[in-house]
Amino acid sequence: MDSIKNRIEELRRLLNEYNHQYYVLSSPTVSDKEFDMLMKELEALEATRPDLADPLSPTQRVGSDISKGFSQVKHIYPMLSLANTYSVEEVDDFVKRVKKEIIGEDCALVGEMKFDGTSISLVYENGRLTRAVTRGDGVQGDDVTANVKTIRSIPVQLQGEGWPEHFEIRGEIVLPWKEFDRLNAERQFNEEPLFANPRNAASGTLKLLNPKEVSRRGLDAYFYYLLGENLPCGSHYENMMEARKWGFKVSDAMTLLRTMEDVDRYITYWDTARKELPVATDGLVFKVDNLRQQLNLGYTAKSPRWAIAYKFQAERALTRLQYVSFEVGRTGVVTPVANLEPVLLSGTIVKRASLHNADIIRTLDIHEHDMLYVEKGGEIIPKITGVETSQRETGAGAIAFVTHCPACGTPLVSAEGEAARVCPDKYGCPPQIKGRIEHFVGRRMMNIDGIGEEMVNDLCEKGYLKDCADIYDLTADQIKSLYVKGDRIAEKILKSIEASKSMPYERVLYALSIPYVGETGAKKIARASGNIDRLMSMSEEELTAIDDVGPNIARGIIDFFADERNRTIVERLRESGLTLATETVDEAPASDILSGKSIVISGTFDRHSRDEYKQIIEHHGGKNTGSISKKTDMILAGENMGPSKLEKAKALNIPIVDEISFLQMIGEE
Ligand code: IVH
């Protein structure tokens, strides 16, 4: 008897069950500590038995660093949309119509929430999740299985019994309000663009190329549609109740409704009650319950005749525009902001709303002192959706976008194909300079405690700070000159400036405000480049070979270091003793075993990340290249190497080396 195998299987079953209790039922039966201990035990056992590896094991659900991009998959049943309406009368008409078409039989309806997320189709075979595909164009979508696997409320191994051998289930992937707020707060802090609503955040997250990041974001999923040949029941509602027993999250709001009065009551109730739900909803869906009746009603080209969506009205207010202000950010982008007469909307007072860019002002055709409609539906951030032109003052002029920077007077430029207008005077425009310094000292960057927005402003006004390198030349007297009792404050600030010198290289990279380089990007770039001198000399091709670095980021980096002023800042930071290299990089090559070899990395790995393999190759004298050609000497192939790469490698007769053999080759195994 194989006792390790048995224990591994038992642990997998237990951990799946505990995940279900925690993420679906919200009623855990074990402590976090106990859960973690079982997980550790499973990890340890799995490490001893690679032959029992399973991509669906609970240990694999945190996601790996890398994904292969998404391949397109055709849906077994096309993913249709729903006919929708904002009016209760039209829902009533729908009920009358179906009751009329199904004469002589009872016709029950199912009322359910319309979740405002991104739809997903999951395929299960023999109780195991085999594929997760986005809606795409309805006919085919992206295979996002690696990302979906990280969503803990989705069962990867079904529980209970009675599930068909092969079936599909559809639902909505959502980002709960709590996680949405957390994510946006984090993004605001990092000066990354905010997600307008949980729907955009959910679909953006699902399309991330890094499953580990997906796993961190806290996605959830609700299911509402079972498809397949041998479904357990002839009722949609009963099927969903079965699916719940197999481990799927099915909303408690799903209810059988018999009469039109039931339907109307359901609408009245949820119109307000939905605001208490942990996730965003944008309406209700009513479906004919009986599957045979559904079949008889059939489909139009776009949607089923057996269902209708009732959409909630977004909350809307009308208020007067006082004036439009134009604000300059750290990156020089000028944002128009509508300053409004304060108005109450969904419980908060709205005074300002971003107009985003010139295109939006033009499309809405906003004039001075116009009465504007402000909405806050699923959108957390108030949005101007229209103008009440009947109340326009005679002679009011159209709002024109400023042609010059409101802060420094420089003529604005607009990048080709982009709506944004930008002040190009990066080094002379005060809000840009101050913004970069504020960013540099921020908590997630150099974490210089005691210097905040106001102090950066004062130090700049006094002429003590012109760029971030000046921070390291600040004196106690300069800081003290800002305050009546400045001794203690100056001491504290100088101490934290000193401490910032040991911040790792990746933080410095992020702090520098290199266009498009965010926190995660900086980490990857730091790891791949090893030190700033190497980074400064990297070509566009070398940069885009780094995980998640696209042409925009690469250009941002090249242009940044091409500017003399930025190179001077780097030199001054170096002289001040900042960390400009990763600690692990050992400059001397470990061997020359791969000398002159051009190696392509493909697939996913267990022992090291792709970036680490890239460093290892360079460390042993080889070169990592992006695509397979006649010049490629070897392919380091992990799991799931792309089929086209495999084909090409075979055609060119290039040796394919697996992870373990590679490690043996360089003497690590
Ligand atoms: S049923 C053939 N039920 O709304 C009908 N859809 O406008 C398939 N949605 O693409 C959809 N909640 O992403 C259905 N309870 C629910 C839903 C729901 C949200 C989404 C879904 C669909 C879109 C249709």
Side-chain angles (χ1 to χ4, degrees), residues 395-408:
I399 299 289
F401 207 94
V402 285
T403 53
H404 290 67
C405 174
C408 71

Side-chain angles (χ1 to χ4, degrees), residues 80-82 112-115 119 135 172 224-225 285 287 304 306:
L80 302 177
S81 60
L82 291 169
E112 37 192 277
M113 303 312 298
K114 188 168 189 307
F115 293 101
S119 42
R135 178 170 191 278
E172 201 81 353
Y224 46 65
Y225 195 16
V285 183
K287 298 175 182 166
W306 44 262

Side-chain angles (χ1 to χ4, degrees), residues 537-567:
S537 70
M538 282 169 93
S539 67
E540 184 162 346
E541 201 194 1
E542 286 171 308
L543 288 166
T544 47
I546 302 174
D547 236 4
D548 285 347
V549 173
N552 271 344
I553 304 183
R555 271 259 66 86
I557 296 172
I558 290 171
D559 292 348
F560 182 84
F561 290 118
D563 194 312
E564 175 81 48
R565 286 167 289 206
N566 290 326
R567 287 204 306 272

